[in-house]
Amino acid sequence: MRMAALSGASGIPVATIKFYLREGLLHAGERTSPNQSQYDTTHVHRLRLIRALTEVGGLSIMAAGELLATIDNPELPMHQVFGIAQGAVRLPISQISAQDLADGSELLDKVISDRGWQVADSLVARADATRVVGTMRALGLEHSHRMLDSYARAAEIVAKADMDSVQAVTGRDAKVETVVAGTVLGDVLLAALRRIAQADYSSAMFGEATAGPPGAALPPAN
Amino acid sequence: MRMAALSGASGIPVATIKFYLREGLLHAGERTSPNQSQYDTTHVHRLRLIRALTEVGGLSIMAAGELLATIDNPELPMHQVFGIAQGAVRLPISQISAQDLADGSELLDKVISDRGWQVADSLVARADATRVVGTMRALGLEHSHRMLDSYARAAEIVAKADMDSVQAVTGRDAKVETVVAGTVLGDVLLAALRRIAQADYSSAMFGEATAGPPGAALPPAN
């Protein structure tokens, strides 16, 4: 198909597609004349992936571009693809005090050991989790090992599902794309489902008590 | 304590504390002279919460300020606090095509009904989840109901833990603060733990196959 048809098929304006081509996020079409190229379904699919990463996943164009470069490098071992996908979605965490860090580290190490997770001390996500747990503890939010343990159990279920969906597709490119898009979109999906489940518990727990007869749960407030 | 001591106790520069006071994020101290006020542990605690929301949770100062205003309004019913906390952390999702939306909606409705969740159709998180699921389906990521079902089970475990930690604290202010900080920090914690669990599965699954003898899992790549 020509550029105009690619724009129609993907719903993305021609100028935006040209920008993606220039920036290397989208592979070039097959040149049929000095001013024209032919595009195919691989271009439509890649455009969908770019939009998923930037519009649904919230990545910048630059971050999406770096991430997509991993898909195009067949030399990269699969176990490194996860690291790169994880690195593209940096969690918004900065420094905390040494004491909070030490407390967080102690709590997190226990959870990791309880779950039998074999992960390197140098894993970025481990440092991120340590800072969040330390901050929660400093705020008095972490009232028992139980909460952290529940989160870890949930994370394990999700990571298992992530791995299963990587296993379910065939071919290296499809596996890598599943890792990349799944890492970015999975965070958002999980956060949204958490809110839905909270709304269910919240209306049952607080809706009735504050504003209605028993059995008549209020809909949540947003 | 005086301003200098508050700065020392919280580790936050005086100029920043004065900014939070002006913007209404931090309550005023008790004025002891025209140029001096006394601060106490409630100020230290509030400063910790502000930093947790902005530096660990990634909220803007303005978003954190709006969220903190809920804590200071004792009229607000508890079931609305969740809605407001959820609204402060908007998920980065934009429009998708009508077909993808319809597909996503069908899949999500089934999961919500399978889990027995009672939530309003108008819930913002429900629309967010629909868009993510629709996007995943369009990318060919959602290979079975099983993946979505695993995510929903995980979300339920986390939401239950969230509710338990709200129940575990006494007093309305403490409950509200637990909701607010828990919503923001919980997302980050869950995402970080998901990455750790992925690293554990990934090194077992791909590390050995690509680069080491059986039994010698490589550490993940970041």
Side-chain angles (χ1 to χ4, degrees):
Chain A
M1 69 191 90
R2 304 246 287 263
M3 175 60 84
L6 179 61
S7 173
S10 63
I12 297 177
V14 169
T16 307
I17 295 177
K18 287 185 173 171
F19 171 75
Y20 293 152
L21 283 167
R22 274 200 307 277
E23 295 293 317
L25 277 78
L26 181 66
H27 48 294
E30 192 190 343
R31 192 163 293 256
T32 51
S33 83
N35 292 318
Q36 271 183 5
S37 294
Q38 281 289 325
Y39 303 93
D40 58 30
T41 52
T42 65
H43 294 89
V44 178
H45 186 79
R46 174 58 76 108
L47 285 171
R48 253 193 213 131
L49 182 60
I50 294 170
R51 298 303 266 213
L53 294 177
T54 56
E55 301 204 341
V56 184
L59 292 196
S60 69
I61 297 288
M62 187 174 294
E66 287 172 12
L67 198 44
L68 289 169
T70 66
I71 293 181
D72 305 324
N73 173 13
E75 302 294 312
L76 198 73
M78 274 305 290
H79 75 277
Q80 290 196 10
V81 173
F82 269 97
I84 290 166
Q86 294 184 354
V89 198
R90 287 313 309 277
L91 300 171
I93 298 173
S94 64
Q95 292 310 310
I96 62 170
S97 79
Q99 182 59 52
D100 293 350
L101 204 59
D103 288 345
S105 184
E106 191 186 328
L107 281 165
L108 184 70
D109 287 354
K110 180 163 182 339
V111 167
I112 288 177
S113 130
D114 283 352
R115 301 236 60 87
W117 290 342
Q118 302 288 329
V119 289
D121 285 344
S122 60
L123 190 70
V124 171
R126 189 171 186 153
D128 287 346
T130 299
R131 291 199 198 95
V132 187
V133 174
T135 301
M136 285 183 150
R137 187 160 181 81
L139 284 171
L141 270 185
E142 201 285 313
H143 294 282
S144 68
H145 292 272
R146 223 172 358 131
M147 194 208 82
L148 195 52
D149 186 63
S150 296
Y151 270 70
R153 266 192 305 132
E156 198 168 276
I157 289 170
V158 168
K160 174 76 166 59
D162 292 338
M163 290 299 160
D164 285 347
S165 59
V166 174
Q167 295 285 68
V169 294
T170 42
R172 186 186 179 283
D173 285 1
K175 282 187 193 299
V176 171
E177 187 179 309
T178 301
V179 170
V180 167
T183 297
V184 174
L185 298 180
D187 280 349
V188 184
L189 177 61
L190 193 53
L193 290 173
R194 177 186 175 219
R195 284 155 176 66
I196 297 173
Q198 281 181 344
D200 175 54
Y201 278 113
S202 174
S203 66
M205 192 180 287
F206 300 114
E208 293 177 12
T210 55
L218 281 185
N222 52 358
Chain B
M1 71 190 88
R2 303 247 288 263
M3 174 60 83
L6 178 61
S7 173
S10 63
I12 298 176
V14 169
T16 307
I17 295 177
K18 286 185 174 171
F19 172 74
Y20 293 152
L21 283 166
R22 275 199 308 276
E23 295 293 316
L25 277 78
L26 181 66
H27 49 295
E30 192 191 342
R31 192 162 292 257
T32 50
S33 82
N35 292 319
Q36 270 183 5
S37 294
Q38 280 289 324
Y39 302 92
D40 57 32
T41 53
T42 66
H43 294 88
V44 177
H45 185 79
R46 173 57 76 109
L47 285 172
R48 251 193 214 131
L49 182 59
I50 294 170
R51 299 304 266 212
L53 294 176
T54 56
E55 302 206 339
V56 184
L59 293 195
S60 68
I61 296 289
M62 188 174 293
E66 286 171 13
L67 197 45
L68 289 170
T70 66
I71 293 182
D72 305 324
N73 172 13
E75 302 294 313
L76 197 73
M78 273 305 289
H79 75 277
Q80 291 196 10
V81 173
F82 269 97
I84 290 167
Q86 293 186 355
V89 196
R90 287 311 309 277
L91 300 173
I93 297 173
S94 64
Q95 293 310 310
I96 63 171
S97 79
Q99 183 57 54
D100 293 349
L101 205 59
D103 289 344
S105 184
E106 192 187 327
L107 281 165
L108 185 69
D109 287 354
K110 179 160 185 338
V111 166
I112 288 177
S113 130
D114 284 351
R115 303 234 61 88
W117 290 342
Q118 302 289 329
V119 289
D121 285 344
S122 60
L123 190 71
V124 171
R126 189 170 185 152
D128 287 346
T130 299
R131 291 201 199 95
V132 187
V133 174
T135 301
M136 285 182 151
R137 188 161 180 79
L139 284 171
L141 270 185
E142 202 284 313
H143 295 281
S144 68
H145 293 273
R146 224 173 356 132
M147 194 208 83
L148 196 51
D149 186 64
S150 295
Y151 270 70
R153 267 193 303 132
E156 198 168 275
I157 290 170
V158 168
K160 174 77 165 59
D162 291 338
M163 290 299 160
D164 286 346
S165 60
V166 174
Q167 296 285 68
V169 294
T170 43
R172 186 185 179 286
D173 285 0
K175 281 186 193 300
V176 172
E177 187 179 310
T178 300
V179 170
V180 168
T183 297
V184 175
L185 297 180
D187 280 348
V188 184
L189 177 60
L190 194 53
L193 290 173
R194 177 186 174 220
R195 284 155 176 65
I196 297 174
Q198 280 180 345
D200 175 53
Y201 279 113
S202 174
S203 66
M205 193 179 288
F206 300 114
E208 292 176 12
T210 54
L218 282 184
N222 55 358

